[in-house]
Amino acid sequence: MSISKVSVIGLGYIGLPTAAVFASRKIQVIGVDVNQHCVDTINRGQIHIVEPDLDMVVHAAVTEGYLRASTTAQAADAFLIAVPTPFREGFKPDLSYIESASKAIAPVLKKGDLVILESTSPVGATEQMAAWLAEARPDLSFPQQKGDASDIRVAHCPERVLPGHVLRELVQNDRVIGGMTEKCSLAARALYKTFVEGECVLTNARTAEMCKLTENSFRDVNIAFANELSIICEELKVDVWELIRLANRHPRVNILQPGPGVGGHCIAVDPWFIVDSAPEQARLIRTARQVNDSKPAWVIEKLHAAIGEHLSKHPGKTAQEVVVACFGLAFKPDIDDLRESPALEITKEVSKRHAGKVVVVEPNIHTLPASLEATVLCTVEEAIKQADVLLLLVDHKPFKAIAPQSLEGLQIVDTRGIWPV
Ligand code: SAJ
């Protein structure tokens, strides 16, 4: 099949970089998004999200005429759906964005087109998408009806890029491609091979869906192991950071790092899709989610204990006079992304509960979110100068560079193990 025009539906953290990379290979790309502001921004050659170097690639793609954004679907040879798949009440996956995207592209589909679902999805979502498309276009045939002889090819190809390294990983990572039939897989591979330097490995749609969920659940379970160790070590008075360093010297042990909880839009969400599909069987995966989700409350308890300890060393002082400094709001180090961040949740809770002043250090942002209006954004130096109790939540580079002697005498809760305690 020859692909001269690609349409990417959903211009967020995955869709926009993908659209831009196709365009950088001189393929005509139409990006579609329901958000008018995002469409206008892209058509001006600018971006509405934060990702290193993406602004340059989008700017070049738009000025050279290869990338154009629109709020309505238009005809193309291949459609990539990269819309969100959040969960609703009870951790049930919400496929409504995929349904809307399917209904939006259905009218412009023509014989020979390829439709790829890139959104992280529960097992069976690609088949469901194909069913929605078939319902809207009874004049065309789909793989579930005609197998390899279908008019439309359908595949699932999950994204696996790490925020902050998206442009490099999009090109270099291996891709798992799960077609509804073999011809679907081959068509999708031909498309990705226009820019993917990694291997494109073929499988079926259900395995590809499960593969993506498995990767993120694997990480979640391993982080939960580290988080559980940190809670056990606190009870046993063992330094968990030293413990993990030592255990990792074993050639077949590689424990991840404990933290204040798991944030981001993927690792804290995707395992629930497995739990929802197999609630009886997914015991370990569910428990890992619960362990990681319970970590912020444990950190807040530790902070209260530290405030209590400070007060016991300073008789006559009241909690109102204790200044707490929270270091870091982002969901992981050296990025400015605060969405789904346990550090942000903890800081909000501290600012609500603590009677005294709360200051915040987050070197990657210039203004605090509205939910933290009761706190003050300040520099590392200002925070150390005025605070009595420091709460380290994110291991940003500038925090690792703080000289240990400047922390002497301060009460510290370090959820990342970077400061001497
Ligand atoms: N975290 C820890 N301890 C660790 C590692 C991570 O507490 O040892 C925490 C981080 O602080 C953060 C959260 O986990 O709050 C998630 O961060 P991350 O760097 O592990 O992952 P994400 O969410 O940025 O990206 C993940 C990646 N998946 C895997 O590494 C298996 C990425 O490749 C996926 O493409 C992405 O999810 C996604 O979109 O699904």
Side-chain angles (χ1 to χ4, degrees):
M1 80 188 271
S2 80
I3 302 270
S4 56
K5 200 180 265 184
V6 170
S7 181
V8 179
I9 320 296
L11 297 173
Y13 278 82
I14 299 304
L16 182 56
T18 305
V21 171
F22 271 118
S24 74
R25 301 302 190 266
K26 310 221 174 298
I27 293 172
Q28 287 293 334
V29 182
I30 304 164
V32 179
D33 202 289
V34 288
N35 181 334
Q36 183 74 53
H37 165 73
C38 129
V39 165
D40 294 342
T41 308
I42 294 165
N43 283 334
R44 281 198 306 272
Q46 294 165 352
I47 60 174
H48 61 296
I49 54 176
V50 178
E51 179 59 39
D53 301 332
L54 182 62
D55 51 348
M56 286 184 322
V57 185
V58 168
H59 187 262
V62 173
T63 14
E64 287 169 22
Y66 287 105
L67 173 62
R68 192 165 51 80
S70 167
T71 51
T72 51
Q74 293 169 31
D77 307 308
F79 295 83
L80 282 87
I81 298 186
V83 294
T85 39
F87 53 63
R88 334 172 202 218
E89 281 279 302
F91 302 115
K92 295 234 156 282
D94 176 0
L95 301 189
S96 59
Y97 295 91
I98 298 180
E99 185 176 2
S100 305
S102 310
K103 289 183 176 160
I105 63 165
V108 298
L109 280 184
K110 60 184 185 312
K111 189 173 176 195
D113 284 356
L114 167 67
V115 181
I116 299 178
L117 178 62
E118 279 216 3
S119 313
T120 303
S121 300
V123 174
T126 308
E127 290 159 1
Q128 173 64 71
M129 179 184 79
W132 280 319
L133 292 172
E135 201 184 307
R137 289 299 300 271
D139 55 317
L140 292 170
S141 66
F142 290 81
Q144 67 273 29
Q145 303 157 333
K146 291 266 181 78
D148 262 345
S150 64
D151 291 334
I152 306 293
R153 315 253 174 251
V154 179
H156 179 59
C157 180
E159 60 76 20
R160 307 150 102 190
V161 288
L162 196 67
H165 302 270
V166 168
L167 287 173
R168 178 174 54 77
E169 290 209 352
L170 261 181
V171 174
Q172 291 179 357
N173 287 3
D174 291 347
R175 290 290 303 227
V176 172
I177 295 178
M180 282 183 68
T181 67
E182 201 192 344
K183 271 202 176 158
C184 298
S185 295
L186 292 171
R189 178 162 69 186
L191 177 67
Y192 283 105
K193 268 298 169 195
T194 54
F195 71 84
V196 172
E197 288 168 11
E199 209 177 316
C200 290
V201 197
L202 306 191
T203 180
N204 58 48
R206 292 176 77 86
T207 309
E209 288 159 345
M210 189 59 182
C211 185
K212 167 68 196 238
L213 303 180
T214 300
E215 291 160 11
N216 280 351
S217 299
F218 173 84
R219 196 150 168 87
D220 197 45
V221 168
N222 281 281
I223 298 169
F225 181 75
N227 276 333
E228 186 164 292
L229 275 182
S230 73
I231 296 169
I232 295 169
C233 284
E234 180 78 10
E235 290 298 307
L236 302 183
K237 308 217 178 315
V238 170
D239 177 346
V240 70
W241 316 103
E242 184 192 4
L243 172 80
I244 291 174
R245 267 197 309 276
L246 296 177
N248 281 350
R249 284 179 169 252
H250 185 288
R252 283 172 298 283
V253 173
N254 187 10
I255 303 168
L256 293 178
Q257 297 300 303
V262 169
H265 342 291
C266 311
I267 297 199
V269 175
D270 302 354
W272 288 119
F273 292 0
I274 299 182
V275 174
D276 182 66
S277 300
E280 297 285 311
Q281 294 80 9
R283 292 181 297 158
L284 183 61
I285 295 172
R286 178 196 282 109
T287 306
R289 272 289 65 246
Q290 288 164 343
V291 169
N292 286 333
D293 274 354
S294 69
K295 199 72 195 292
W298 184 82
V299 171
I300 291 168
E301 260 176 50
K302 276 199 73 173
L303 177 72
H304 281 130
I307 294 171
E309 211 169 318
H310 176 80
L311 287 174
S312 70
K313 286 181 196 159
H314 297 84
K317 200 169 178 179
T318 65
Q320 235 168 337
E321 293 163 317
V322 177
V323 179
V324 173
C326 297
F327 280 72
L329 294 176
F331 89 85
K332 62 182 197 173
D334 306 315
I335 59 167
D336 66 347
D337 194 342
L338 310 189
R339 295 172 310 157
E340 264 58 77
S341 170
L344 177 63
E345 282 315 305
I346 291 169
T347 307
K348 271 197 232 168
E349 204 51 37
V350 171
S351 82
K352 258 195 255 160
R353 289 209 218 160
H354 179 53
K357 186 174 177 185
V358 177
V359 301
V360 176
V361 192
E362 178 43 83
N364 301 298
I365 62 169
H366 303 295
T367 41
L368 283 173
S371 55
L372 289 183
E373 62 188 7
T375 67
V376 180
L377 186 65
C378 62
T379 63
V380 167
E381 293 72 24
E382 286 162 352
I384 293 176
K385 204 165 152 202
Q386 57 183 308
D388 305 296
V389 181
L390 308 189
L391 174 59
L392 187 283
L393 294 167
V394 189
D395 42 344
H396 288 314
K397 282 196 191 98
F399 301 165
K400 289 186 188 164
I402 296 173
Q405 52 283 19
S406 61
L407 301 175
E408 267 167 27
L410 293 170
Q411 203 73 42
I412 290 174
V413 177
D414 178 0
T415 68
R416 296 285 182 179
I418 62 169
W419 287 343
V421 182

